[in-house]
């Protein structure tokens, strides 16, 4: 159920700044198309050389209005277009779900080696998982989009996960945000989810071993 006050605040803001807001969102959408195409190209080339596709699926999304507002509030920032552009780097998000952990690093390297991709930040939650067990490789990059009369650099967050990492993260999100759970039950759930994250890690390692024959 969306938070009505947040939705109202955003509706007022969009109405007051219709054109700049639509322009900003169009830039993020164009950047998503560019990045998605880059990964589709890499997937094709990889399958030519190795006879298999390293990418299972690619998802793109624009951050929801209520998430944008919540994140600005968390950072104590007012709802303005410059605040969104200069402080929120995950408005445009791409999730690349890969077959094997090794594929994540090969794809990330090939992507970052492209001369029109600027790395802004890298968080490796595969090498250093979050305390709750979350694993994924996050990159914040800037890529150019070519408009009729200018070139504009736009930030995009790319999350790389294996199928097992994605399975865990998707279900964790659903389970953790279930309402009306007692503190004791939440603690139990945390422990059980951490256990599941370890099982997913073992599965990824086992699959990698089977693939390489070691
Ligand atoms: P949504 O719905 O994807 O937009 P920062 O962005 O640097 O200010 P933050 O938000 O801690 O700080 O960044 P981080 O750690 O890179 O995580 C951002 C995103 O990663 C989240 O987006 C989730 O998509 C995913 N993520 C991070 N930790 C977890 C986790 O424990 N469980 C799951 N399921 N996903 C996680 P948002 O903004 O939360 O939401």
């Amino acid at each position: 159920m969306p938070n009505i006050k947040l939705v109202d605040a955003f509706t007022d803001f969009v109405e007051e700044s219709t054109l700049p807001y639509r322009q900003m969102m169009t830039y993020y959408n164009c950047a998503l198309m560019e990045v998605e195409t880059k990964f589709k190209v890499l997937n094709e080339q990889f399958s030519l050389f190795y006879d298999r596709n390293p990418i299972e699926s690619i998802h793109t999304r624009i951050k929801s209005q209520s998430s944008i507002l919540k994140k600005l509030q968390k950072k104590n920032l007012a709802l303005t277009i410059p605040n969104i552009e200069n402080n929120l780097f995950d408005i445009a998000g791409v999730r690349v779900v890969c077959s094997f952990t090794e594929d994540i690093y090969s794809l990330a390297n090939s992507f970052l080696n492209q001369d029109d991709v600027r790395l802004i930040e890298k968080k490796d939650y595969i090498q250093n998982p979050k305390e709750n067990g979350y694993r994924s490789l996050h990159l914040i990059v800037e890529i150019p989009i070519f408009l009729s009369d200018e070139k504009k650099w736009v930030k995009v967050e790319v999350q790389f996960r294996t199928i097992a990492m994605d399975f865990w993260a998707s279900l964790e999100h659903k389970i953790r945000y279930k309402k009306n759970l007692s503190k004791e039950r939440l603690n139990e759930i945390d422990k059980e989810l951490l256990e599941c994250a370890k099982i997913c890690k073992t599965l990824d390692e086992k699959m990698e071993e089977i693939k390489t024959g070691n």
Side-chain angles (χ1 to χ4, degrees), residues 61-64 67 71 74-75 87-90 95 121 123 125 130 132-136 138 140 157 159 161 168-174 176-177:
R61 70 104 181 88
I62 292 286
K63 204 172 181 69
S64 71
S67 293
K71 205 154 186 178
K74 207 171 113 191
K75 290 175 184 264
N87 297 280
L88 305 190
F89 300 158
D90 63 342
R95 185 168 295 150
E121 188 183 58
K123 287 187 194 166
Y125 295 125
K130 283 195 167 180
N132 62 0
Y134 176 76
R135 291 186 308 134
S136 185
H138 291 192
I140 306 285
E157 183 192 63
Q159 298 182 348
R161 298 173 179 170
W168 182 92
S170 301
L171 299 196
E172 183 261 4
H173 189 75
K174 283 192 184 147
R176 203 179 292 278
Y177 290 97

Side-chain angles (χ1 to χ4, degrees), residues 97-202:
V97 179
C98 299
S99 316
F100 298 97
T101 309
E102 199 192 11
D103 297 334
I104 291 178
Y105 291 103
S106 310
L107 282 167
N109 280 338
S110 303
F111 175 63
L112 290 174
N113 279 336
Q114 297 181 8
D115 58 15
D116 58 349
V117 177
R118 292 180 184 160
L119 177 64
I120 307 292
E121 188 183 58
K122 180 177 179 177
K123 287 187 194 166
D124 191 341
Y125 295 125
I126 299 175
Q127 293 297 317
N128 307 295
K130 283 195 167 180
E131 258 178 46
N132 62 0
Y134 176 76
R135 291 186 308 134
S136 185
L137 175 68
H138 291 192
L139 305 179
I140 306 285
V141 295
E142 218 174 22
I143 58 133
I145 55 165
F146 294 87
L147 304 162
S148 55
D149 52 357
E150 65 168 323
K151 172 167 120 179
K152 196 172 163 53
W153 289 86
V154 182
K155 291 192 180 65
V156 177
E157 183 192 63
V158 186
Q159 298 182 348
F160 297 88
R161 298 173 179 170
T162 60
I163 306 167
M165 292 172 200
D166 191 51
F167 161 77
W168 182 92
S170 301
L171 299 196
E172 183 261 4
H173 189 75
K174 283 192 184 147
I175 294 168
R176 203 179 292 278
Y177 290 97
K178 254 175 92 178
K179 300 223 166 70
N180 305 325
L181 295 171
S182 68
K183 213 171 166 192
E184 290 74 35
R185 182 64 196 125
L186 278 173
N187 283 340
E188 267 173 34
I189 288 176
D190 283 350
K191 277 192 204 140
E192 283 166 339
L193 284 171
L194 184 59
E195 193 51 41
C196 290
K198 287 178 185 159
I199 296 170
C200 288
K201 181 171 186 283
T202 307

Side-chain angles (χ1 to χ4, degrees), residues 10 13 17 19-29 31 63 68-69 71-72 75 77-92 120 140-142 145 147 150 152-157:
F10 219 99
F13 163 72
S17 50
L19 187 62
Y21 179 77
R22 281 183 53 203
Q23 225 166 28
M24 174 178 71
M25 286 307 171
T26 302
Y27 297 155
Y28 284 123
N29 259 316
K63 204 172 181 69
I68 293 176
L69 204 52
K71 205 154 186 178
L72 283 176
K75 290 175 184 264
L77 294 167
L79 178 57
T80 66
I81 286 175
N83 277 350
I84 295 176
E85 283 186 323
N86 300 328
N87 297 280
L88 305 190
F89 300 158
D90 63 342
I91 302 292
I120 307 292
I140 306 285
V141 295
E142 218 174 22
I145 55 165
L147 304 162
E150 65 168 323
K152 196 172 163 53
W153 289 86
V154 182
K155 291 192 180 65
V156 177
E157 183 192 63

